[in-house]
Amino acid sequence: MTDPTTTALVPDEVWARLEAACDLDCYSVTGQWDVENLLLDAQNHIGDALPQLLGMGTVDTSDADQEDLIVLVDMPGGPCLATTVIQLREFRTEDAVDGPERARAVLERLLACHAELMADLNAARTAGPLTSMFTADEVECLIRTAAEAVHGNALGDDTLSERQITLSARAYDLMQQEFDGDRPVGAAH
């Protein structure tokens, strides 16, 4: 994991623009909205200099046991992909004091999540023959299906749609064929 206090994903001159536009002297992270509001301020004031900020968002995934969030990244012309879950306590470490230093560490961590997602996506494009057998829309559906299988449906209902069942069955069949050696890796569907 990238250490948000040592990376330099926000150049000093760009950071100065955000500090001039926003009052960050009392910034602290008490919940997901503190992260989201900082991201919105950064998108509005320095999004032109850091376009990867545009199309990013967060979703609160906290439960009774821990506070955490998921960073979302909109892909150009494609689906919205989630990166890793970030526990909010990560932003409450002693490495950064409340105020501008804390805000910069949070923004750097969000940008690191974006960079990690893009690196993983590029690696998957070259090393993911199973993924190449599905459209981007189908991959998004499979990601949502996996998330619902692990964490439950966002609507509170435990049923999967017919499309989710069909795509999951297709993915399972392809994985089984690859395992059995019946289909060359990367064969088109």
Side-chain angles (χ1 to χ4, degrees), residues 97-185:
V97 297
D98 288 342
E101 184 179 325
R102 169 95 53 205
R104 189 168 187 170
V106 169
L107 191 57
E108 295 269 350
R109 179 64 177 111
L110 294 174
L111 288 167
C113 282
H114 182 277
E116 290 166 9
L117 174 65
M118 299 313 296
D120 289 347
L121 184 61
N122 287 333
R125 285 182 179 150
T126 60
L130 185 60
T131 305
S132 69
M133 310 215 14
F134 294 91
T135 66
D137 185 55
E138 290 171 332
V139 170
E140 179 177 7
C141 184
L142 288 167
I143 291 169
R144 290 177 185 276
T145 302
E148 288 177 6
V150 173
H151 298 287
N153 184 309
L155 300 175
D157 132 11
D158 289 334
T159 61
L160 296 176
S161 71
E162 189 63 36
R163 181 171 187 238
Q164 287 175 303
I165 293 168
T166 301
L167 284 171
S168 295
R170 186 170 135 213
Y172 181 82
D173 288 345
L174 289 168
M175 290 187 317
Q176 192 63 48
Q177 289 171 5
E178 283 185 0
F179 180 76
D180 293 342
D182 295 340
R183 179 185 300 272
V185 174

Side-chain angles (χ1 to χ4, degrees), residues 16-169:
R17 284 179 43 203
L18 184 62
E19 274 192 295
C22 302
D23 181 12
L24 299 173
D25 289 339
C26 297
Y27 182 82
S28 65
V29 177
T30 59
Q32 181 259 345
W33 285 109
D34 295 314
V35 176
E36 181 70 17
N37 288 335
L38 176 65
L39 179 58
L40 291 171
D41 283 342
Q43 289 169 336
N44 290 328
H45 298 291
I46 60 174
D48 60 327
L50 295 171
Q52 62 270 41
L53 289 170
L54 306 175
M56 289 179 69
T58 64
V59 174
D60 185 0
T61 56
S62 299
D63 58 22
D65 296 325
Q66 64 186 24
E67 294 178 296
D68 45 38
L69 57 90
I70 294 176
V71 177
L72 301 174
V73 177
D74 286 333
M75 303 306 292
C80 180
L81 298 177
T83 64
T84 58
V85 173
I86 300 175
Q87 295 181 356
L88 287 179
R89 71 173 180 250
E90 180 178 331
F91 296 134
R92 297 180 183 136
T93 65
E94 298 304 316
D95 294 342
V97 297
D98 288 342
E101 184 179 325
R102 169 95 53 205
R104 189 168 187 170
V106 169
L107 191 57
E108 295 269 350
R109 179 64 177 111
L110 294 174
L111 288 167
C113 282
H114 182 277
E116 290 166 9
L117 174 65
M118 299 313 296
D120 289 347
L121 184 61
N122 287 333
R125 285 182 179 150
T126 60
L130 185 60
T131 305
S132 69
M133 310 215 14
F134 294 91
T135 66
D137 185 55
E138 290 171 332
V139 170
E140 179 177 7
C141 184
L142 288 167
I143 291 169
R144 290 177 185 276
T145 302
E148 288 177 6
V150 173
H151 298 287
N153 184 309
L155 300 175
D157 132 11
D158 289 334
T159 61
L160 296 176
S161 71
E162 189 63 36
R163 181 171 187 238
Q164 287 175 303
I165 293 168
T166 301
L167 284 171
S168 295

Side-chain angles (χ1 to χ4, degrees), residues 3-14:
D3 179 357
T5 62
T6 60
T7 59
L9 297 174
V10 181
D12 289 340
E13 63 277 4
V14 174

